């Protein structure tokens, strides 16, 4: 919940995710301070360096967030931070989480994240999703889902805390890699993440 006492930086934090397929530049949203500050801390700690995008599903998303050496998660969760302005358009940076049956508060994983690739949706598909999810997207958001694409069925269930500002082509390249069991790339897609000063 936003309060008057919360302060936000004047300039959104920019991060650089470097991979063998190229670089992805993202900005972290200031209106999701819990997720932003946690992600910055993990980057500064070097948590992601040498880790992999371990779950890749074309036309859906690429997921990472473990630690080099196989540690899957940091062992804590973060309260959800949902904002209607932040939605699962292509390039959205969002937090993974455990399912509703064991996580009804929709708390985010402390380190697992994904970047949306998604697909383009039609008006009728979006109308059906609105009815099913009991939600409503703005005309502008619908236009983005129809032209750029995304995964609207995840909206209001997973926290979006940033977005790609450069490197969507790299997301596409990673999403297209060959995968095996549990959607894991056959050849590791390693990353390093740093904050751009």
């Amino acid at each position: 919940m936003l309060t008057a006492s919360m302060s936000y930086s004047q300039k959104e934090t920019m991060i650089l995710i470097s991979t063998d397929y190229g670089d992805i530049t993202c900005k972290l949203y200031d209106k999701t301070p819990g997720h932003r500050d946690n992600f910055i801390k993990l980057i500064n700690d070097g948590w992601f360096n040498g880790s992999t995008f371990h779950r890749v599903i074309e036309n859906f998303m690429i997921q990472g967030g473990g630690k080099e050496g196989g540690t899957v998660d940091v062992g804590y969760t973060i309260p959800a931070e949902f904002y209607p302005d932040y939605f699962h358009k292509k390039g959205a940076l969002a937090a993974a989480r455990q399912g509703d049956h064991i996580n009804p508060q929709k708390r985010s994983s402390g380190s697992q994240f994904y970047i949306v690739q998604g697909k383009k949706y039609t008006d009728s598909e979006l109308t059906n999703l609105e009815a099913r999810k009991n939600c409503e997207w703005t005309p502008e958001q619908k236009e983005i889902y129809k032209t750029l694409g995304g995964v609207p069925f995840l909206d209001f269930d997973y926290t979006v805390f940033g977005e790609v500002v450069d490197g969507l082509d790299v997301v596409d390249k990673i999403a297209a890699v060959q995968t095996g069991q549990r959607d894991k790339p056959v050849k590791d897609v390693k990353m390093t993440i740093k904050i751009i000063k």
Side-chain angles (χ1 to χ4, degrees), residues 119-139:
K119 69 179 188 79
K120 295 174 184 172
Y121 281 74
T122 65
D123 279 317
S124 62
E125 286 174 320
L126 291 169
T127 299
N128 289 339
L129 268 174
E130 283 180 324
R132 200 173 86 210
K133 289 180 66 70
N134 193 25
C135 69
E136 190 173 333
W137 289 287
T138 66

Side-chain angles (χ1 to χ4, degrees), residues 11-19 22-30 36 39-40 43 53 62 90-94 113-116 160-168 170-171 174 191-197:
K11 189 169 187 259
E12 289 173 308
T13 302
M14 304 293 290
I15 65 168
L16 183 71
I17 304 172
S18 297
T19 77
D23 292 341
I24 303 167
T25 304
C26 302
K27 68 178 176 181
L28 305 181
Y29 297 144
D30 281 344
R36 177 201 63 199
F39 211 67
I40 289 170
I43 292 169
F53 283 102
I62 61 174
K90 183 175 184 176
L93 172 66
F113 71 92
Y114 58 92
I115 300 173
V116 171
V160 175
F161 65 96
E163 67 180 84
V164 173
V165 295
D166 188 40
L168 282 177
V170 179
V171 175
I174 294 171
M191 74 178 93
T192 59
I193 306 181
K194 67 180 181 181
I195 294 169
I196 305 170
K197 302 293 183 191

Side-chain angles (χ1 to χ4, degrees), residues 25-197:
T25 304
C26 302
K27 68 178 176 181
L28 305 181
Y29 297 144
D30 281 344
K31 285 186 180 176
T32 53
H35 288 73
R36 177 201 63 199
D37 293 350
N38 178 68
F39 211 67
I40 289 170
K41 177 190 181 300
L42 292 175
I43 292 169
N44 287 333
D45 289 347
W47 173 270
F48 301 110
N49 294 339
S51 68
T52 64
F53 283 102
H54 64 270
R55 184 171 176 239
V56 170
I57 304 174
E58 194 167 17
N59 299 318
F60 183 35
M61 57 90 223
I62 61 174
Q63 181 175 335
K67 190 176 187 182
E68 185 177 30
T71 305
V72 175
D73 195 85
V74 289
Y76 58 81
T77 59
I78 302 168
E81 295 177 293
F82 296 143
Y83 287 92
D85 292 350
Y86 301 157
F87 60 110
H88 283 79
K89 65 185 176 183
K90 183 175 184 176
L93 172 66
R97 67 175 180 84
Q98 292 186 309
D100 287 357
H101 59 292
I102 55 172
N103 180 25
Q105 294 176 322
K106 305 182 192 298
R107 293 177 66 93
S108 298
S109 160
S111 64
Q112 289 288 319
F113 71 92
Y114 58 92
I115 300 173
V116 171
Q117 184 193 35
K119 69 179 188 79
K120 295 174 184 172
Y121 281 74
T122 65
D123 279 317
S124 62
E125 286 174 320
L126 291 169
T127 299
N128 289 339
L129 268 174
E130 283 180 324
R132 200 173 86 210
K133 289 180 66 70
N134 193 25
C135 69
E136 190 173 333
W137 289 287
T138 66
E140 294 79 17
Q141 289 171 331
K142 286 181 181 177
E143 191 60 27
I144 288 170
Y145 277 138
K146 289 190 295 181
T147 56
L148 179 65
V151 284
F153 57 87
L154 296 182
D155 284 345
F156 319 112
D157 285 316
Y158 294 79
T159 296
V160 175
F161 65 96
E163 67 180 84
V164 173
V165 295
D166 188 40
L168 282 177
D169 60 319
V170 179
V171 175
D172 287 338
K173 287 176 191 172
I174 294 171
V177 302
Q178 183 183 354
T179 56
Q181 286 188 331
R182 300 178 68 125
D183 305 308
K184 186 179 187 303
V186 171
K187 183 184 175 204
D188 282 350
V189 180
K190 293 197 171 188
M191 74 178 93
T192 59
I193 306 181
K194 67 180 181 181
I195 294 169
I196 305 170
K197 302 293 183 191

